[in-house]
């Protein structure tokens, strides 16, 4: 059994064949997907998909969306979390965080939304799904203001020192398609060396395709598709298994157990 801890199943890229994507995930024994929201406009969509297909979801405002979010959207998030807190399929606040990679994003506004959402996670007793791109130190600085919060650091690609700082705070780190590239030496080293209890698997579908799905800009311009999907998770997991010298069964058990520890509401959904 596999758990995809980060999948944007509501994305428009899945509109033509979402049912087929879900069927392939089931065939691949991906038993659970966590569907994070990115803005107020898709809160209802991720919740509906989670209920329709026996999955789980998170509610939050992504750092790349805060420039177009209204200040009142934090109030809407507060209301949504309060309204759905008793929903067993709501497992986290996310996707939230900081993005220092994309130019021209308002960093001050990002930080304000990030800290406000950490405060909401603490208020409602939920873990967080963190977006981190060249922003690990800033994320950690914010977490120091909200002791006791934990969750998943999605698509981590920072230093070993930063990784261990998150782990010491009770976070686990998400590994996915980027780990499968031969050139991803830093990510592979982290996946190989971090404590076993600190690792979970993800796809970030439809984004971050693994090496076998990657297409260059020229290929994409020519119409070739590089869409990722949750059914790719077991093949992605083979890379982690090789790095750790685990069997696939061990990899599934360890990463699924870690996901349930990081997101405690998952376990009842799986009947474990």
């Amino acid at each position: 059994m596999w758990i995809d801890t980060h999948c944007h199943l509501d994305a428009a890229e899945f509109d033509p064949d979402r049912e087929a994507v879900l069927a392939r995930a089931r065939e691949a024994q991906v038993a659970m997907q966590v569907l994070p929201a990115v803005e107020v406009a898709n809160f209802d969509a991720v919740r509906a998909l989670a209920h329709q297909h026996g999955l789980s979801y998170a509610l939050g405002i992504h750092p790349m969306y805060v420039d177009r979010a209204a200040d009142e959207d934090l109030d809407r998030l507060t209301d949504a979390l309060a309204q759905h807190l008793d929903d067993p399929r709501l497992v986290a606040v996310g996707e939230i965080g900081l993005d220092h990679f994309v130019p021209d994003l308002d960093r001050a506004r990002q930080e304000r939304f990030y800290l406000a959402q950490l405060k909401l996670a603490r208020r409602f007793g939920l873990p967080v799904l963190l977006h981190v791109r060249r922003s690990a130190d800033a994320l950690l600085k914010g977490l120091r203001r909200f002791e006791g919060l934990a969750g998943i650091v999605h698509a981590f690609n920072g230093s070993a020192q930063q990784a261990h700082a998150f782990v010491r705070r009770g976070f686990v780190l998400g590994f996915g398609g980027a780990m499968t590239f031969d050139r991803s030496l830093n990510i592979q080293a982290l996946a190989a060396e971090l404590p076993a209890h600190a690792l979970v698997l993800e796809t970030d579908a439809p984004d971050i395709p693994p090496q076998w799905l990657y297409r260059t800009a020229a290929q994409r311009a020519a119409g070739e598709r590089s869409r990722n999907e949750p059914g790719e998770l077991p093949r992605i997991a083979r890379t982690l298994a090789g790095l750790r010298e685990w069997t696939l069964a061990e990899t599934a058990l360890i990463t699924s157990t870690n996901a349930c520890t990081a997101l405690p509401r998952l376990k009842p959904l799986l009947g474990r």
Side-chain angles (χ1 to χ4, degrees), residues 221-252:
E224 295 188 42
R225 188 168 66 174
S226 63
R227 185 187 72 175
N228 197 7
E229 61 179 71
E232 298 293 336
L233 196 70
R235 190 173 174 187
I236 291 169
R238 290 182 194 145
T239 298
L240 180 60
L243 291 167
R244 303 291 305 209
E245 298 184 347
W246 291 340
T247 66
L248 272 182
E250 288 171 331
T251 306

Side-chain angles (χ1 to χ4, degrees), residues 2 172-173 175 179 188-201 234-259:
W2 302 98
V172 299
L173 308 185
F175 291 85
M179 176 179 58
Q188 291 178 0
L190 289 170
E193 297 168 6
L194 285 170
H197 66 78
L199 310 174
V200 296
L201 288 165
R235 190 173 174 187
I236 291 169
R238 290 182 194 145
T239 298
L240 180 60
L243 291 167
R244 303 291 305 209
E245 298 184 347
W246 291 340
T247 66
L248 272 182
E250 288 171 331
T251 306
L253 177 60
I254 291 167
T255 58
S256 295
T257 299
N258 294 345

Side-chain angles (χ1 to χ4, degrees), residues 26-38:
R26 288 191 294 269
E27 290 168 6
Q29 296 185 311
V30 179
M32 179 57 63
Q33 301 167 38
V34 180
L35 315 181
V38 295

Side-chain angles (χ1 to χ4, degrees), residues 204-224:
D204 197 30
D207 299 321
I208 314 186
Q211 185 165 0
W212 54 89
L213 292 180
Y214 178 75
R215 299 293 181 270
T216 65
Q219 288 173 317
R220 293 194 298 272
E224 295 188 42

Side-chain angles (χ1 to χ4, degrees), residues 119-136:
K119 185 176 181 179
L120 288 174
R122 186 169 68 179
R123 170 181 168 184
F124 290 108
L126 290 169
V128 292
L129 305 179
L130 294 182
H131 174 97
V132 51
R133 282 206 296 182
R134 298 185 182 174
S135 58

Side-chain angles (χ1 to χ4, degrees), residues 21 38 48 65 88 93 102 114 117 130 138 169 183 197 213 217 221 227 240 260 264-265 271:
V21 168
V38 295
Y65 286 76
V93 173
V102 177
Y114 170 55
Q117 292 179 97
L130 294 182
R169 303 194 75 82
R183 66 180 183 271
H197 66 78
L213 292 180
R227 185 187 72 175
L240 180 60
C260 291
R265 289 183 170 204

